[in-house]
């Protein structure tokens, strides 16, 4: 359990000339080599991805900027915006999966079907969700995995889950520029782009710039930056207090010439609703934060419409 | 650059009976095999660690709970508390290193010495700091590394840095239970324990429990839990607002029967000072947050005094 890399796979004798392209191989039917399993998984992955119109990854430099909160609310905003039953969320944070709790799906499990198929958990407005959390016995169970096993899990979440026809798949990635983000960029070669979430503090700003460079280096378009936890209004006296400063997101966008999508105010209700598994934007339709989310969704749609479909060649 | 695992090392012919124990090998002097380099690094690592009285890792389940802020201020609190020139901080967050900015050491670089030796950057009160940030050309440069390369970097930060005689080495780990925390636990077999930082929200609470189980599973003592960003006092009207709720840290400690070290109030000055590279607790000696840090340091010292020195056998 401690070291995923020690996991072994059965190896069956296979001709040395095998090029792994089972589609054009005459002995493919009787072959059960590891390469064939890989080939079949690749095919399933391609098929699944081909049915999903837009694939968007949500990333951040630093953790705790509210990336999962933003992802959950963006998914609800897309669904409310005419895409009921056509939004999926892949929680690719293997160590700290939060999406199920935030979407009120805590305690659900992924149901398996024939041939290793997995059915996503379906939440409000028909949002399909897959998360490591659905596979864990309880909250206290850590997933002590190194990179290769995490890559394998994410690949399975993409290739073996019956996502069906979706308008949007949002992939919530853990912070940083390590194994999980790299895996997702390599597994989804035609990713529409990344949405980068930050908070206003300068420390966060410094780290988020790394994410922008990361996206540029792996050749994925940057859809834009969202500044979360931007300013706080005291519910008692109405005074506006910038708990974590404000304006960092806009500054990053200007500095790095990428679009600015908007800012989400710091609102204690967001934390409460996330903890309670209530969708903040469904419960608080007139709040400034809800308006901000709906505006952001519109801007993302504009980006997707304007994007040249030929950009989608990821650099390996 | 994209894939650290592709890095190769020179392989020199070596007898098949080589057991890697160069200390007792008669041909060790003339050997330049990779195993010998590994052996030598292990020896350096042991020597360096033997000069450090207490090694403490700071971990969290979720990111953004202020782990680096807490680490930086704990280091200052230890130094103020009679350990000037005897505190070190290893920033083991390879993708998002924040410690240099928080300790006012932004822009400094690690200086190399003979034989691959590295000198730590020395900050206020003689705190010795090593961070990936000191090796990067600018803030925008991401470190796009998978696990094995990160492990190698952390190993080098421990074995090749001239830490000297220290009373405390604080290791600031990235969130989660993946490559970096595992590497540190394996590289520092006699770690005194881990301090777990959380914030009050339930979502954070759920994830932090994984860290507690992680520590228990790898056989490292849990020194205790710190609740950061606990409650907020409006600077305008004095109203106390629990922006991220309160009490989650204490609840975790009780639920999982581990010590509770204290709570740090949410104070906009902490964010300002962290961004400005000022030490919050040095600049604000009478603030409730400073008092909380100093109390926590005392509790950690009590733990270290009471700990049976024979506990320190990490399970592999």
């Amino acid at each position: 359990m401690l070291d995923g890399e020690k996991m072994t796979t059965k190896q069956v004798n296979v001709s040395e000339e095998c090029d792994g392209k089972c589609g054009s191989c005459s002995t493919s039917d009787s072959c059960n080599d590891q390469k064939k399993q890989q080939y079949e998984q690749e095919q399933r992955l391609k098929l699944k991805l081909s049915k999903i119109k837009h694939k968007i990854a949500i990333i951040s430099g630093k953790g705790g900027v509210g990336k999962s909160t933003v992802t959950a609310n963006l998914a609800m905003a897309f669904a409310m915006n005419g895409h009921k039953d056509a939004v999926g969320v892949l929680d690719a944070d293997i160590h700290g999966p939060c999406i199920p709790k935030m979407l009120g799906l805590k305690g659900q499990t992924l149901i398996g079907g024939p041939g290793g198929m997995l059915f996503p958990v379906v939440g409000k407005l028909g949002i399909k969700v897959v998360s490591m959390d659905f596979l864990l016995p309880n909250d206290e169970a850590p997933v002590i995995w190194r990179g290769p096993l995490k890559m394998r899990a994410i690949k399975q979440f993409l290739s073996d889950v019956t996502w069906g026809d979706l308008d949007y798949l949002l992939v919530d990635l853990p912070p940083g520029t390590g194994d999980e983000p790299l895996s997702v960029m390599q597994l989804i070669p035609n990713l529409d782009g990344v949405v980068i979430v930050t908070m206003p503090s300068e420390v966060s700003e410094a780290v988020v710039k790394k994410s922008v460079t990361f996206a540029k280096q792996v050749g994925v378009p940057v859809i834009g930056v969202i500044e979360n936890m931007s300013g706080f209004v005291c519910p008692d006296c109405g005074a506006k207090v910038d708990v974590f400063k404000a304006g960092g997101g806009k500054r990053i966008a200007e500095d790095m010439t990428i679009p600015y999508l908007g800012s989400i105010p710091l609102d204690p209700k967001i934390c409460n609703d996330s903890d309670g598994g209530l969708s903040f934007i469904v419960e608080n339709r007139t709040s400034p934060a809800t308006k901000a989310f709906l505006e952001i969704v519109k801007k993302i749609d504009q980006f997707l419409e304007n994007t040249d479909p030929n950009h989608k060649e990821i650099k390996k």
Side-chain angles (χ1 to χ4, degrees), chain A:
Chain A
M1 171 133 193
L2 252 183
D3 196 340
E5 284 153 280
K6 281 178 194 158
M7 273 186 69
T8 55
T9 38
K10 255 188 285 181
Q11 194 74 36
V12 180
N13 261 349
V14 71
S15 154
E16 280 193 8
E17 297 113 55
C18 170
D19 58 2
K21 289 173 188 153
C22 313
S24 56
C25 172
S26 59
T27 57
S28 170
D29 281 352
S30 58
C31 172
N32 65 347
D33 184 71
Q34 200 196 336
K35 272 191 199 159
K36 191 182 163 201
Q37 290 167 28
Q38 274 175 9
Y39 172 82
E40 286 175 347
Q41 191 177 29
E42 298 293 339
Q43 296 306 107
R44 286 199 302 277
L45 183 67
K46 275 186 198 160
L47 181 70
K48 296 285 157 67
L49 291 180
S50 71
K51 291 181 174 179
I52 302 171
K53 277 188 207 149
H54 299 296
K55 299 128 200 136
I56 299 166
I58 323 290
I59 65 173
S60 75
K62 261 187 78 62
V65 297
K67 194 175 31 55
S68 298
T69 310
V70 169
T71 306
N73 280 291
L74 284 180
M76 294 301 288
F78 276 120
M80 278 165 70
N81 215 7
H83 302 281
K84 201 171 162 279
D85 302 318
V87 177
V89 180
L90 168 57
D91 185 357
D93 190 340
I94 303 291
H95 300 300
C98 293
I99 290 287
K101 186 165 174 79
M102 288 178 178
L103 287 174
L105 301 171
K106 200 65 201 158
Q108 306 257 14
T109 48
L110 290 183
I111 309 288
M117 208 196 299
L118 285 168
F119 297 103
V121 171
V122 182
K124 278 173 211 151
L125 300 177
I127 295 176
K128 292 179 179 165
V129 183
V130 169
S131 169
M132 197 67 206
D133 188 61
F134 295 141
L135 299 168
L136 297 175
N138 58 52
D139 273 352
E140 292 157 28
V143 178
I144 310 178
W145 284 356
R146 289 187 185 272
L149 212 58
K150 290 191 268 187
M151 167 86 164
R152 209 181 296 177
I154 294 173
K155 193 169 190 178
Q156 223 180 328
F157 284 162
L158 284 166
S159 63
D160 296 354
V161 166
T162 58
W163 290 106
D165 293 305
L166 292 182
D167 292 340
Y168 305 91
L169 177 67
L170 305 183
V171 185
D172 183 25
L173 283 166
T177 52
D179 292 90
E180 294 93 325
L182 262 177
S183 299
V184 166
M185 305 295 161
Q186 284 168 358
L187 290 169
I188 313 181
N190 59 349
L191 199 71
D192 288 270
V194 293
V195 167
I196 299 176
V197 183
T198 184
M199 55 190 273
S201 75
E202 277 176 37
V203 168
S204 174
E205 197 183 325
V207 181
V208 88
K209 285 185 175 174
K210 293 185 199 300
S211 294
V212 178
T213 313
F214 169 76
K216 288 182 177 170
Q217 284 189 4
V218 296
V220 173
V222 176
I223 299 176
V225 175
I226 298 175
E227 177 173 297
N228 193 29
M229 307 193 205
S230 178
F232 172 71
V233 178
C234 173
D236 261 46
C237 71
K240 191 171 178 297
V241 186
D242 287 336
V243 180
F244 300 109
K245 301 188 176 180
K250 201 156 196 169
R251 226 172 11 246
I252 293 167
E254 282 166 8
D255 281 4
M256 308 203 69
T257 56
I258 49 172
Y260 183 61
L261 296 174
S263 62
I264 316 284
L266 184 60
D267 184 336
K269 273 192 204 149
I270 299 184
C271 174
N272 261 307
D273 285 354
S274 295
D275 274 359
L278 299 166
S279 168
F280 172 81
I281 70 163
V282 174
E283 305 287 324
N284 303 273
R285 295 205 180 216
T286 57
S287 90
T290 301
K291 281 180 201 155
F293 276 118
L294 293 171
E295 275 301 308
I296 287 170
V297 157
K298 268 190 219 158
K299 285 191 188 166
I300 295 176
D301 271 336
Q302 277 164 15
F303 176 95
L304 297 175
E305 274 167 31
N306 297 335
T307 309
D308 173 11
N310 297 321
H311 78 241
K312 299 177 184 175
E313 268 305 312
I314 189 172
K315 289 172 200 160
K316 293 275 178 178

